[in-house]
Amino acid sequence: MAWPFSRKSESVSETKSELTDPTSDSWAALCDAFGLSASGVTVTAATAMDCPPVNAGVSILTESTAGVPCRLLHDDANDSERAAKDHPAFALVNRFSNEWMSSGEVRRRATQDAVLFGDGFALVTRRAAGQPAEIIYAPRQTVVVEYALTGEPRYVIDSQYYGPRDVIHIVWTPYPNDPLQQRGLGLLHAGRNAIGLAILLERSASNLFRNSCKPSGIVSVKGALKAEAAARMATAWRAANAGDKQGGVSIMDNDATYTPINFTSVDSQMIEQRAYAVNEISRLTRVPPTLLADMSRATWSNSTQLDLQFVKYGLQPLLRAWCDGYSRCLLTPEERSSMHFEFDLSQLLMADPAARAAAFVQYRAAGAMTANDVRRELNLPPLPDGNTLSSPHVQSPANDNQPQKDVAA
């Protein structure tokens, strides 16, 4: 499908290094061409997302990025902030980015590309006056990135060139071998061996319990056994012990003997290896094991702290990248000096509501927040008398440190 855009950026000279051109040496092309892990499993986006811990980690990152509301704030002269709801960019980042896709869905898809492949893209179209009109998700395979020697990027979409103010470029982790560190390093490269091992362990566990025959061992007979007789004996054995009949009693004749083979999943430490694979995926995605449904070491206290750790170290870097991309593409250089984008993390930080409520009480008692400041953090409407900066626990005015007047005897 052709991209119906005609706005082009100015050409950038001395470009180098394409990102997704299959004829280049870019990492995205290498990631698709050489998907074989050390375990022998081919790791692609489809096979990686079929692995439950990878699917959970990527889904948590992308859905959290899509679900957090984004605010466009105007910095006032007195260091306060107010929502700039009249700006055209406000609706693009909070409601619908275009006629067929919400702002959260655009973030979700571009973030998924960034996490898996290293880079995610969204194209900003503009009206005749230069104001942003739409934000459109651009699949990574449709985008080619070229860089000038100064590091300035130029994006090629459907044979049209766009500048850095036209494309929101989300980089998951900079590729260390890139001198400009502009290419992303996604899970399909950084975590290929760990993901391949997790897939292999899952397949091995499936093969271990598939078509299991009990008892399991070796049937020996005296003398030579022809191939036809061995095949008939094997068929009879499976008919008597496979499927729903496993665990029954086997009857043998002709001096046949049965030698059991004591093999269990514990002998190969299958469970421990699969748990280790989940922890490896947790390290790669920065999502705590508790959010990947690994409760082996979870407690009431550390689960809450791990949730907060995920917000701080796993989610916030992605949200910071989106704020930077929004500011670069949706605001003019003049507007950037007085306006900024900010994601509202208050709902995610309510993982420990008791601690958050206690912090608000301390802020109010210290005179750092008014009642309306607290209500704003809780998404509640302001009160008429809620802007007084005083402690609710003090009924009389605080001492003004002035000497007391003499009282007549």
Side-chain angles (χ1 to χ4, degrees):
M1 180 182 68
W3 290 76
F5 312 131
S6 60
R7 186 178 186 274
K8 299 183 179 181
S9 64
E10 296 181 358
S11 60
V12 181
S13 59
E14 297 182 345
T15 59
K16 66 174 184 177
S17 179
E18 297 179 352
L19 182 65
T20 56
D21 183 5
T23 62
S24 73
D25 59 351
S26 68
W27 177 244
L30 292 176
C31 186
D32 291 335
F34 307 103
L36 193 66
S37 64
S39 60
V41 177
T42 300
V43 178
T44 63
T47 58
M49 292 300 287
D50 284 339
C51 182
V54 177
N55 189 302
V58 174
S59 298
I60 289 173
L61 284 170
T62 57
E63 292 170 4
S64 299
T65 304
V68 179
C70 184
R71 300 182 296 184
L72 176 58
L73 301 176
H74 192 283
D75 303 322
D76 292 334
N78 56 355
D79 293 334
S80 62
E81 298 174 344
R82 56 183 173 87
K85 296 184 178 181
D86 55 341
H87 195 281
F90 183 87
L92 295 179
V93 301
N94 282 281
R95 300 186 181 99
F96 279 85
S97 294
N98 49 65
E99 291 296 329
W100 60 92
M101 197 173 293
S102 66
S103 58
E105 182 64 14
V106 171
R107 286 198 297 268
R108 187 190 69 82
R109 297 194 182 194
T111 301
Q112 179 171 288
D113 283 350
V115 173
L116 287 176
F117 300 98
D119 300 90
F121 304 94
L123 178 63
V124 176
T125 63
R126 304 183 187 279
R127 299 183 177 91
Q131 293 182 336
E134 293 176 321
I135 303 176
I136 300 176
Y137 161 68
R140 50 169 293 279
Q141 63 269 19
T142 66
V143 182
V144 174
V145 186
E146 302 172 349
Y147 293 102
L149 295 178
T150 59
E152 180 182 356
R154 180 174 69 169
Y155 303 90
V156 185
I157 303 177
D158 195 26
S159 302
Q160 297 185 13
Y161 292 92
Y162 299 90
R165 286 206 63 225
D166 301 319
V167 178
I168 300 174
H169 184 183
I170 305 300
V171 178
W172 171 246
T173 300
Y175 186 42
N177 288 346
D178 179 13
L180 301 176
Q181 291 195 349
Q182 295 283 4
R183 303 177 187 172
L185 190 64
L187 292 182
L188 296 186
H189 170 60
R192 174 173 300 159
N193 292 332
I195 296 173
L197 177 60
I199 295 173
L200 181 62
L201 290 172
E202 185 177 359
R203 292 177 181 175
S204 300
S206 300
N207 293 331
L208 178 66
F209 295 102
R210 183 181 62 186
N211 298 327
S212 179
C213 295
K214 298 296 182 180
S216 177
I218 300 175
V219 178
S220 303
V221 296
K222 293 182 179 180
L225 188 65
K226 294 182 179 181
E228 294 80 2
R232 287 196 301 270
M233 182 177 291
T235 302
W237 182 270
R238 294 191 185 95
N241 298 287
D244 296 336
K245 298 179 181 180
Q246 60 179 327
V249 178
S250 299
I251 307 298
M252 298 178 292
D253 58 1
N254 297 331
D255 293 331
T257 59
Y258 172 73
T259 304
I261 298 176
N262 296 323
F263 171 78
T264 63
S265 59
V266 177
D267 296 332
S268 62
Q269 295 183 329
M270 179 74 69
I271 296 177
E272 289 82 356
Q273 292 183 43
R274 295 198 69 185
Y276 175 77
V278 173
N279 287 327
E280 285 289 271
I281 303 303
S282 174
R283 296 184 184 98
L284 289 169
T285 59
R286 308 169 194 169
V287 177
T290 53
L291 296 182
L292 301 181
D294 181 5
M295 301 298 179
S296 57
R297 298 191 178 184
T299 63
W300 289 105
S301 58
N302 69 3
S303 295
T304 300
Q305 294 303 316
L306 288 174
D307 290 346
L308 298 177
Q309 178 179 318
F310 162 69
V311 174
K312 183 176 181 180
Y313 298 107
L315 184 59
Q316 201 165 27
L318 281 172
L319 299 181
R320 183 70 262 170
W322 276 104
C323 287
D324 293 342
Y326 282 153
S327 297
R328 185 181 66 253
C329 297
L330 303 180
L331 301 179
T332 64
E334 294 76 16
E335 291 174 333
R336 294 175 204 161
S337 61
S338 60
M339 303 175 69
H340 68 278
F341 290 91
E342 181 180 286
F343 282 90
D344 185 5
L345 298 174
S346 58
Q347 296 300 317
L348 294 179
L349 295 176
M350 287 182 66
D352 190 356
R356 190 164 183 251
F360 284 148
V361 171
Q362 294 177 2
Y363 288 143
R364 292 277 285 120
M369 297 181 71
T370 66
N372 282 342
D373 291 335
V374 176
R375 293 178 66 85
R376 189 180 303 110
E377 293 293 329
L378 299 175
N379 291 325
L380 296 175
L383 297 175
D385 57 346
N387 292 323
T388 302
L389 192 62
S390 62
S391 173
H393 306 292
V394 179
Q395 300 298 327
S396 59
N399 185 9
D400 56 3
N401 294 324
Q402 297 296 325
Q404 295 184 355
K405 297 181 179 180
D406 295 334
V407 179

